[in-house]
């Protein structure tokens, strides 16, 4: 075969391959540009649609933050009790501080560890107010002594003007109490007894309930809130 014809044939084949490759690359570039333009058009359409149908509300960010922090939590609306009948149970109790004139020593055989206290001397009796509400038991032969303070639990109650209030006094601690409720009356209360008094809180202000055996600290108060003016 003629060598010149062979070379011309190879050159023609190479040229055809180059043209085909260029066509393919051009088609790919056109396709990519078309796809990008289509995506941009769709994005603009969606954005314009969303912008036209939704408006930013005040405190939207705060609302979203609050919502995200309460994920899974249900928000409930609670309506307070509107009854005018109020009932309370008041316990007579005391607090005890137990200590020793000698420092506490660690006990390795005790069933439970307790905080160790340093050596403590009882204060001079003149520092304790009169009335029986606060008492000190002098050190025994082992050096142990006690400090006791009487109180009501609860010692503060809140009601509204016009409420019917019922108080149940319960003799839990303290062998004997003499209690007065301002404007209602007075009575004795022994351990294990329950004494009930009722009244209508007509006027706003403070109603005291006091144990005369354990003053000055065994005192409670009923706060009567005034009726809101319409």
């Amino acid at each position: 075969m003629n060598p010149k014809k062979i070379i011309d044939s190879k050159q023609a084949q190479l040229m055809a391959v180059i043209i085909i490759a260029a066509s393919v690359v051009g088609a790919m570039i056109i396709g990519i540009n078309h796809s990008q333009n289509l995506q941009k058009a769709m994005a603009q359409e969606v954005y314009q649609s969303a912008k036209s149908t939704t408006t930013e509300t005040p405190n939207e960010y705060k609302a979203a933050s609050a919502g995200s922090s309460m994920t899974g939590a249900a928000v409930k609306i609670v309506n307070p009790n509107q009854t005018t009948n109020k009932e309370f149970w008041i316990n007579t109790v005391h607090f005890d501080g137990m200590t020793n004139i000698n420092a506490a020593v660690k006990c390795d055989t005790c069933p439970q560890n307790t905080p160790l206290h340093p050596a403590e001397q009882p204060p001079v009796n003149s520092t304790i107010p009169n009335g029986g509400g606060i008492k000190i038991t002098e050190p025994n032969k082992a050096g142990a002594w006690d400090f006791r303070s009487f109180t009501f639990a609860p010692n503060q109650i809140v009601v509204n003007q016009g409420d019917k209030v019922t108080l149940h006094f319960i003799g839990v601690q303290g062998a004997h109490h003499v209690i007065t409720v301002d404007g209602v009356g007075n009575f004795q209360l022994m351990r294990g007894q329950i004494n009930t008094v009722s009244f209508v809180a007509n006027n706003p202000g403070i109603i005291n309930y006091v144990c005369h055996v354990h003053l000055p600290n065994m005192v409670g108060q009923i706060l009567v809130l005034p009726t809101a003016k319409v």
Side-chain angles (χ1 to χ4, degrees), residues 26-47:
M28 291 176 63
I29 293 173
I30 293 172
I32 292 172
N33 289 335
H34 179 71
S35 176
Q36 290 177 345
N37 292 334
L38 181 61
Q39 290 177 357
K40 289 181 180 179
M42 292 177 64
Q44 289 178 356
E45 184 178 354
V46 172
Y47 172 75

Side-chain angles (χ1 to χ4, degrees), residues 55 58 88 134 184 223 228:
T55 56
F88 302 93
I134 301 174
V184 179
L223 176 61

Side-chain angles (χ1 to χ4, degrees), residues 65-75:
S65 300
S68 63
S69 64
M70 297 179 64
T71 302
V75 178

